[in-house]
Amino acid sequence: MMSTIVVRGVDKRFGSTVAVDGVDLEVGPGVTGLLGPNGAGKTTLMRMLATVAAPDHGEVTVFGHDPATTAGRLAIRRRLGYQPQEPGFHGHFSCFQFVDYVAILKEWTSRRERHDEVRRVLGLVGLGDVSNRRISRLSGGMKRRLAIAQVLIGSPDLLILDEPTAGLDPEQRLRFRELLGSAAPGATVLLSTHQTDDVSALCSRVIVLLDGQVRFDGSPAELAARAEGRVWLADARDPMARLGWVGGDGRWRNIGDPPAGTDTVAPTIEDGYLVLTGADTLTEAAADE
Amino acid sequence: MSDWHVPDELLEAFATAPGSIDAVTAASIEQHMVGCGSCQSVVGARSSSSELDAIWAEVADRVDRAGASWSERLLSRLGLESGPARLISATPALRMGAVAAVGLIVLAVVLVSRAADVGAAFLVAAPVVPTALVAMSFAPGADPAGECGLATPVFGFGLVMRRALLVELVAVAALGVGSLFIPIDGMRAVAWVLPALALSLGTLAGAVRWPATESATVVLACWAGAVVVGAIAEPGNEIVESVVFDPAGQLTVALLAAAAGVVVLMHRQALVQEAGR
């Protein structure tokens, strides 16, 4: 199957800061999660894929089109739904006016059909009852849902979602997962998040970015397996642990190199992610010892 | 409660062809149906669901339709479709408050010019108005969709330049009316037009690299400097006679406007990015 997104040797700098450093990846249909700490380059990469920013070097193709050309950008944007990290709403617009405005930008010229579509997507995200409420009077979670609503206009083939679940409460996050499963069947979805449980629930594939580079590309189970044999529970923080925290049951969850004879527990994606992102620290610490 | 019911043929017409019944009869039937479940059920059973759906869709459509701004209505009257008209007019520089402020500023400058009998005050101040409005159109957050809009097919150079052009035209129209009342005769009364165009284009040229508001500040500072230098260079003359407003100065300004226009064209994608921030 042809990949929806192909990225080859892409770099992007802002002054002396390297945001994306020689990234190669291909993304096809299904939900792919993009994980990484703040400043890892996730947003910059997503903005380039959404035709909002251009790479300094390298090649990007989306649906086989080059976003560097006017015709290519147009072809990509006609099949794209993009939710930026900071949507930047106009507070004086109502929910309906905002989504309607974006629908006009997405070439919905027939007013009747456009309004039907606006009502449909507002209903999908649970904002149908407050469609005439001003955006300035919405809660943070409602604003996030409004940003998701505009993504869904026209049921695009590619959804690029930059931290779509930030600011959503647990119930809203569950609804979002349900929505993504039902509203975008067969679509290519690339979402960045800090929530590893979102990745477990939604993604068939996960990519971890660190310092602008792809450090992991595989299934959620494979990411969890990175911490296999390196997670153990104890009544106190183990001095051998590189990372540790108290769980809800009052026991410490330790990550690192367990003492000999310790029983380890099954790792989660979060454990795998922490081992991966803390790998440099672990290595340096081991060398010091 | 009466045992009387609306005759069957009237109910039939009311349900399926309401236009065939006169207004008084229709109102009587409606009044009766408020308290008559039997007639309500007859009408309900005979009404076409598709027709009801269409009526409901029309009602919902009218409720949801946003109140068009004055500029959107104006563009629609000029023949533009409602969608593009809304996109072009969606800038804070065209809100009623901004336009009213422009009117008041022009009025104030005209009054000062007349009171002091110094027409040059108008010529110097006039280019500031369109420049400020253009900068406002490209300021961060000016577009209602923000970065969401940047990834859509329609948001591009054509849209942002049409918006800038409309803003410029509004300012020029207000200033044009004002220039009829300043104490300067002949073509000198419109010697502000080319500087206005040059400063606006200069602001856009700067906006390909810096925020539009900062670009406008620099461009306006250059304008103030040019006026002061012109006045110092010819101390015996009125400012209105200075090099800035004489034919050679106007030609220079026109060339600068053309150069700024070239920069804008060459870096149009950067300008679009600025407009969508």
Side-chain angles (χ1 to χ4, degrees):
Chain A
M1 185 182 290
M2 185 180 167
S3 295
T4 308
I5 295 169
V6 178
V7 177
R8 293 275 178 262
V10 162
D11 295 332
K12 181 75 178 177
R13 284 173 173 269
F14 296 102
S16 60
T17 305
V18 180
V20 174
D21 186 10
V23 166
D24 291 287
L25 59 87
E26 293 189 15
V27 180
V31 183
T32 300
L34 201 53
L35 277 175
N38 290 329
K42 302 187 300 294
T43 293
T44 303
L45 180 61
M46 296 188 107
R47 293 182 86 239
M48 288 191 284
L49 299 178
T51 74
V52 170
D56 295 335
H57 302 103
E59 292 175 15
V60 174
T61 57
V62 182
F63 298 118
H65 300 288
D66 180 359
T69 66
T70 304
R73 268 197 307 278
L74 188 63
I76 294 164
R77 289 175 179 182
R78 284 185 167 141
R79 301 174 68 182
L80 170 68
Y82 170 54
Q83 184 231 303
Q85 193 175 42
E86 300 290 340
F89 297 113
H90 258 211
H92 72 280
F93 264 31
S94 69
C95 298
F96 189 94
Q97 284 174 315
F98 171 75
V99 180
D100 188 47
Y101 183 84
V102 178
I104 298 170
L105 286 170
K106 289 190 171 185
E107 301 178 311
W108 284 72
T109 51
S110 161
R111 187 165 48 83
R112 175 68 58 78
E113 289 174 14
R114 191 174 73 235
H115 284 191
D116 286 345
E117 179 67 2
V118 172
R119 279 188 284 272
R120 182 184 78 86
V121 296
L122 285 173
L124 281 175
V125 299
L127 292 177
D129 292 340
V130 294
S131 64
N132 288 316
R133 188 180 293 179
R134 284 190 176 218
I135 296 173
S136 58
R137 296 178 60 198
L138 299 180
S139 67
M142 288 168 124
K143 284 180 183 170
R144 190 57 66 174
R145 283 190 274 157
L146 185 61
I148 295 166
Q150 61 84 26
V151 170
L152 299 173
I153 296 168
S155 305
D157 298 319
L158 171 61
L159 285 76
I160 296 178
L161 309 169
D162 199 349
E163 298 192 18
T165 55
L168 298 185
D169 63 34
E171 185 187 345
Q172 289 167 347
R173 279 169 55 202
L174 287 175
R175 280 191 183 178
F176 169 74
R177 292 173 190 171
E178 186 183 2
L179 171 68
L180 207 59
S182 60
T188 299
V189 181
L190 182 64
L191 67 89
S192 77
T193 180
H194 289 295
Q195 311 282 351
T196 49
D197 48 347
D198 282 342
V199 174
S200 316
L202 283 167
C203 304
S204 55
R205 180 182 168 199
V206 58
I207 296 167
V208 178
L209 274 187
L210 270 177
D211 300 326
Q213 297 179 332
V214 175
R215 293 291 181 89
F216 175 85
D217 187 349
S219 68
E222 288 168 337
L223 178 57
R226 288 293 181 107
E228 191 68 54
R230 305 189 74 183
V231 184
W232 70 101
L233 300 176
D235 293 331
R237 193 185 196 286
D238 196 312
M240 296 291 285
R242 304 302 176 203
L243 293 165
W245 66 96
V246 184
D249 58 357
R251 302 200 74 199
W252 281 79
R253 190 175 185 87
N254 296 293
I255 299 180
D257 298 319
T262 303
D263 290 332
T264 57
V265 297
T268 63
I269 292 178
E270 187 172 30
D271 298 327
Y273 172 73
L274 289 172
V275 164
L276 193 72
T277 55
D280 293 341
T281 316
L282 292 173
T283 308
E284 285 166 16
D288 289 345
E289 288 167 7
Chain B
M1 187 177 158
S2 159
D3 288 337
W4 183 84
H5 295 290
V6 179
D8 204 45
E9 63 275 14
L10 261 182
L11 278 181
E12 176 78 21
F14 185 81
T16 58
S20 65
I21 303 174
D22 66 84
V24 174
T25 307
S28 300
I29 295 171
E30 280 176 10
Q31 182 63 35
H32 169 77
M33 281 176 53
V34 169
C36 180
S38 169
C39 288
Q40 282 176 16
S41 59
V42 171
V43 169
R46 294 185 186 176
S47 295
S48 149
S49 63
S50 60
E51 190 178 351
L52 286 175
D53 288 345
I55 292 169
W56 174 242
E58 180 65 26
V59 170
D61 189 46
R62 284 179 185 243
V63 169
D64 289 334
R65 197 181 302 171
S69 66
W70 71 270
S71 49
E72 188 181 335
R73 286 198 300 273
L74 174 70
L75 291 172
S76 295
R77 281 185 191 164
L78 293 173
L80 210 61
E81 289 181 20
S82 67
R86 178 165 300 177
L87 296 182
I88 292 170
S89 57
T91 165
L94 289 174
R95 282 191 207 143
M96 195 52 86
V99 174
V102 166
L104 287 173
I105 290 167
V106 171
L107 178 64
V109 175
V110 168
L111 291 176
V112 167
S113 293
R114 288 175 70 90
D117 198 22
V118 181
F122 186 89
L123 298 189
V124 172
V128 177
V129 176
T131 307
L133 285 184
V134 166
M136 196 189 286
S137 295
F138 284 79
D143 188 85
E147 194 167 312
C148 298
L150 273 178
T152 60
V154 175
F155 197 93
F157 187 66
L159 172 61
V160 299
M161 288 311 289
R162 283 189 187 96
R163 199 176 275 172
L165 180 63
L166 181 61
V167 165
E168 189 83 4
L169 285 175
V170 167
V172 167
L175 292 163
V177 173
S179 63
L180 297 173
F181 301 99
I182 58 173
I184 300 176
D185 296 324
M187 291 302 288
R188 289 262 176 177
V190 290
W192 53 269
V193 173
L194 279 174
L197 182 65
L199 296 189
S200 300
L201 281 169
T203 296
L204 294 183
V208 305
R209 185 165 185 130
W210 299 285
T213 44
E214 290 177 19
S215 172
T217 305
V218 171
V219 165
L220 289 174
C222 291
W223 169 243
V227 171
V228 170
V229 168
I232 292 171
E234 299 168 88
N237 287 345
E238 296 281 341
I239 289 179
V240 72
E241 305 289 340
S242 77
V243 66
V244 179
F245 297 110
D246 72 9
Q250 292 280 295
L251 180 62
T252 306
V253 167
L255 290 173
L256 287 172
V262 170
V263 171
V264 167
L265 278 174
M266 286 175 65
H267 299 278
R268 51 187 177 274
Q269 200 52 38
L271 192 63
V272 172
Q273 297 282 331
E274 177 65 18
R277 280 204 308 142

